[in-house]
């Protein structure tokens, strides 16, 4: 039975995240339902990451195992004919049997978008966080340098009373780059793994630095504290997009 790897683009506004839920629309459920219509079998689609409600993807990757003997291009065309217009299959291919969309990945890259001007942007209302007050870009960049490297990100994970002290909260970020073009500011973060809400909590903290509510050096102190209460607000989900998943060259989607 072949293993099919999909590259999926979606606007997450109408969905309660990636992961299947009993009574709510999700990306995973939409894909599994469409595959079931085509193959007449129940399958489980495994994604590289579980994006939260309202989060988007430019190139989410996901795999499934099927008994159907369709070529990859037929899968792509058939799925796009069935999926809603806010989900699209960009690529489909057959991969080795032991491939895993999540565990075979080397890194994931996210982009957070902020519209930074007094009036909001109607065109970006679903894909960017609107911050009307000016942001100090140099201060944000100094603060962002503190999260690059192998760090304990316990202070930037979701506030959840079920978290155990023994949970692995160490992640390795290879970059956190802040760019600005006109009124649009983007924060690009890439790492080997991410904790729940981690990117959004980093962005919320960097935004507070940019607004002058925190000093750039506080980010390192926050990391060392390992206490979520010391970090900034959680940036809203609609500004976040999963832009790429990197695999070893032998597994990379073509």
């Amino acid at each position: 039975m072949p293993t099919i790897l999909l590259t999926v683009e979606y606007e997450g506004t109408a969905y309660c995240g990636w992961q299947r839920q009993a009574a709510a629309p999700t990306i995973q459920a939409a894909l599994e339902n469409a595959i079931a219509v085509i193959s007449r079998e129940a399958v489980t689609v495994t994604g590289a990451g579980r994006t939260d409600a309202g989060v988007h993807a430019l190139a989410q990757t996901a795999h499934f195992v099927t008994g159907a003997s369709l070529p990859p291009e037929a899968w792509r065309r058939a799925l796009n004919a069935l999926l809603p217009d806010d989900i699209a299959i960009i690529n489909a291919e057959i991969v080795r049997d032991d491939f895993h969309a999540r565990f075979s990945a080397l890194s994931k890259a996210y982009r957070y978008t902020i519209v930074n001007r007094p009036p909001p942007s109607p065109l970006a209302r679903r894909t960017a966080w609107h911050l009307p007050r000016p942001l100090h870009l140099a201060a944000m960049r100094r603060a962002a340098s503190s999260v690059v490297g192998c760090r304990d990100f316990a202070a930037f994970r979701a506030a959840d009373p079920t978290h155990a002290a023994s949970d692995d909260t160490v992640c390795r970020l290879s970059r956190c780059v802040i760019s600005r073009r006109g009124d649009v500011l983007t924060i690009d973060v890439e790492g080997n793994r991410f904790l729940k809400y981690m990117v959004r909590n980093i962005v919320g903290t960097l935004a507070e630095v940019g607004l002058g509510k925190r000093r750039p050096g506080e980010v390192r102190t926050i990391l060392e504290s390992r206490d979520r209460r010391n970090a900034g607000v959680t940036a809203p989900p609609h500004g976040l997009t999963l832009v790429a998943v990197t695999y070893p060259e032998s597994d990379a989607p073509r």
Side-chain angles (χ1 to χ4, degrees), residues 129-210:
W129 185 16
H130 175 229
L131 289 177
R133 289 177 51 198
L135 292 169
H136 193 293
L137 192 60
M140 293 177 70
R141 285 172 170 162
R142 289 198 298 274
S145 67
S146 296
V147 303
V148 177
C150 191
R151 305 278 187 266
D152 187 330
F153 285 93
F156 289 101
R157 66 177 173 178
D160 187 339
T162 65
H163 286 319
S166 59
D167 288 350
D168 181 9
T169 52
V170 175
C171 308
R172 181 181 296 104
L173 296 193
S174 57
R175 64 187 179 116
C176 183
V177 177
I178 305 175
S179 306
R180 181 166 192 138
R181 186 171 183 177
D183 298 323
V184 178
L185 185 145
T186 56
I187 302 174
D188 287 287
V189 184
E190 183 171 0
N192 68 325
R193 63 191 292 262
F194 292 91
L195 310 176
K196 186 176 182 180
Y197 295 176
M198 177 176 150
V199 176
R200 292 166 56 196
N201 289 337
I202 289 173
V203 169
T205 304
L206 293 178
E208 291 182 0
V209 171

Side-chain angles (χ1 to χ4, degrees), residues 74-124:
W75 275 113
R76 187 185 70 82
R77 291 197 306 267
L79 285 170
N80 283 335
L82 292 172
L83 288 166
D85 58 9
D86 48 9
I87 305 175
I89 306 302
I90 306 304
N91 185 60
E93 64 178 291
I94 297 174
V95 291
R96 55 186 172 80
D97 291 346
D98 61 348
F99 176 89
H100 194 285
R102 178 184 174 191
F103 298 127
S104 297
L106 298 176
S107 67
K108 290 191 284 289
Y110 288 88
R111 171 170 292 173
Y112 198 94
T113 303
I114 297 171
V115 171
N116 186 214
R117 68 185 192 189
S121 169
L123 294 180

Side-chain angles (χ1 to χ4, degrees), residues 20-35:
R20 183 196 312 106
Q21 298 183 31
T26 68
I27 304 297
Q28 183 184 31
L31 292 171
E32 291 176 348
N33 292 341
I35 292 168

Side-chain angles (χ1 to χ4, degrees), residues 37 49 58 69-70 73 87 91 128-129 155-156 175 186 197 207 211 214 238 244 250:
V37 171
L58 185 63
S69 57
L70 290 175
E73 180 59 19
I87 305 175
N91 185 60
W129 185 16
F156 289 101
R175 64 187 179 116
T186 56
Y197 295 176
L211 291 170
R214 295 177 182 268
H238 64 275
S250 58

